[in-house]
Amino acid sequence: MVLLKEKLEKIDIDDIKKDVKIGIIGAGYVGLVTAAGLAYKGYNVLIVEKDKEKLKKIKQGICPFYEPDLQKYLLDSIELNRLSFRENIFDLVNECRYIFVCVGTPIKDDGTYDMYYLDIVAKEIANSLKNDFKVITIRSTVPPGTGRWFKKAIIRYRRGLKANFEVVSMPEFLREGNAIYDFFNPSRIIIGSDNYDIAKEVSELYSDFNSPILIVSLEEAEIIKLASNAFLATKISFINSIANLSEAFEANIENIRLGIGLDPRIGMDFLKAGIGFGGSCLPKDLTALISVFNNYQINPILFEAVKIINEERIEIFINKVKNALWNIKNKILTVWGVSFKANTDDIRESPALKIIPRLSQEGAIINVYDPKGLHNFQNYIQKNYPHFSNNIKLIENIYESTVNSSAILITNDWDEYKKANYYNIYELMETPIIIDGRNILNPLEIKEIGFEYYSIGNNIK
Ligand code: UGA
């Protein structure tokens, strides 16, 4: 969805909304999209962000990461004075009745969520509270029980002083790369609280969204978020398992997917076989969910299997490459895709981060291309594999990345790969081989041009 600035300016600012101040703590994906989206809707949005470099960019209307259309919403909101910045949580809490907590919740080495940042925020909010009532909404992804802990932490930090607030849990379901669309068209709005009236009040902020609103308990909201991501991850590992079966026979997983997904009880979404799920959410939330299960002595076997199946995808893909090429030493391999999926520059937990160093270690020379992810990948390689940096070349042109190449490995699903001119690419390569880890190309068309084509779960000769 592209909304033009002229359109934005024409929207009548609802006087009531203009006077409603919403404070956002943390300008990451969720925080920044929420801020820009609510500002677009007409609210008066304030942001606090601790990372000074990031904040500097945001203040200039520059989005610190690539997310389609977000920069435009950001710039417009700032220009229209609907989005402003505060130096600290104290000022934000003082000015706003509604506070949205959107700080990161990374996981620790033991697989549990790190509550450090949330605890700091609880303390700072506690130290900022005065007499007027505050509605504190947690939007970060958290384990069940967090909202209640957050409440308790604020009360503790108040050290017996009056604490006039309520905590609400409102998980976010937006996808990177589709964040703006998802913000304005959420499949559902989940609001969890001990206090129904406050939950209702928060739901009214979203009254002009055309989406179902569900008011539940704090813990239910938290579980809904983790369970949703776990279900999506399960679907992907399910289809990847079936892809392994498909490869053992003369079958194509794409036909099988269609045959399964046409059952409306199953559906097509998240049934795309490939090299596994990555990103900052699905892998992390799955690991953390397993920890929560273990913590409560509940058998996490289903989710452990989902995780193992996902991790195996890397090995399966590397074997596919080696089987296709016979020898990879001193060969140029072109890898298309370092971000964990299309339309984002986010490389966190991207399968390519494991695949590229493994192939490089075995002596391959890797030409890497990605429409947006190269800068993040360069930092990653320099930090983690400086000894490979001579054999891993980052190339900013898709065609150039294929010159003298022995094979193209497709590791994410940007549209640009589908639109490329494969007749040209055929001429540029040493041996025209494509190993498509995301099943995005049409096998018949590609083979027709003269390529040897391998994909996931497809054993049709
Ligand atoms: C995911 C959820 O989809 C969002 O609803 C949620 O809000 C978000 O996590 C979060 O918790 O913040 P996201 O991480 O942006 O969103 O990515 P997805 O679109 O879910 O894709 C995750 C991974 O699964 C990608 O690597 C993608 O390539 C892979 N995938 C997806 C498949 O391998 N097959 C599919 O059929 C779909």
Side-chain angles (χ1 to χ4, degrees), residues 46 57-58 63 86 97 122-123 172 191 205 243 326 352 355 369 377 389 404-405 414 417 445:
L46 282 59
K57 281 190 178 162
I58 299 170
C63 189
R86 295 297 176 272
R97 177 176 173 87
K123 187 173 172 175
E172 177 56 70
I191 301 175
L205 296 174
W326 185 36
I355 292 166
Y369 173 75
F377 183 68
S389 45
N404 295 328
S405 173
W414 285 88
Y417 313 151
E445 283 171 19

Side-chain angles (χ1 to χ4, degrees), residues 109-136:
D109 290 345
D110 66 0
T112 60
Y113 282 108
D114 191 342
M115 290 296 134
Y116 177 71
Y117 298 105
L118 274 180
D119 190 20
I120 291 181
V121 170
K123 187 173 172 175
E124 291 188 22
I125 291 178
N127 291 335
S128 312
L129 290 177
K130 289 184 182 158
N131 287 333
D132 40 345
F133 191 86
K134 304 293 171 187
V135 181
I136 303 160

Side-chain angles (χ1 to χ4, degrees), residues 15 114 121 133 172 194 267 285 301 339 341 361 405 410 436:
D15 275 346
D114 191 342
V121 170
F133 191 86
E172 177 56 70
D194 289 340
D285 293 344
I301 186 166
S339 59
K341 62 172 182 179
Q361 197 169 18
S405 173
I410 302 181
D436 183 351

Side-chain angles (χ1 to χ4, degrees), residues 29-30 67 139 141 171-179 182 187-188 225-226 228-229 232-233 235-237 239-240 257 268-285 310 339-342 344 346 348-351 411-413 437-438:
Y29 268 100
V30 172
E67 178 62 45
R139 308 228 60 201
T141 300
E172 177 56 70
F173 300 101
L174 58 81
R175 295 160 297 172
E176 290 182 21
N178 288 284
D182 287 351
S187 49
R188 72 285 201 200
K225 169 66 192 183
L226 286 189
S228 300
N229 274 2
L232 296 174
K235 266 190 119 176
I236 299 170
S237 280
I239 199 68
N240 283 333
R257 173 186 178 232
M268 291 292 180
D269 287 346
F270 277 75
L271 273 193
K272 190 89 183 133
I275 52 173
F277 54 82
S280 67
C281 305
L282 261 46
K284 179 191 83 167
D285 293 344
N310 197 51
S339 59
F340 76 99
K341 62 172 182 179
T344 177
D346 192 346
R348 287 176 287 176
E349 298 294 321
S350 172
T411 46
N412 66 15
D413 53 351
R438 294 288 182 185

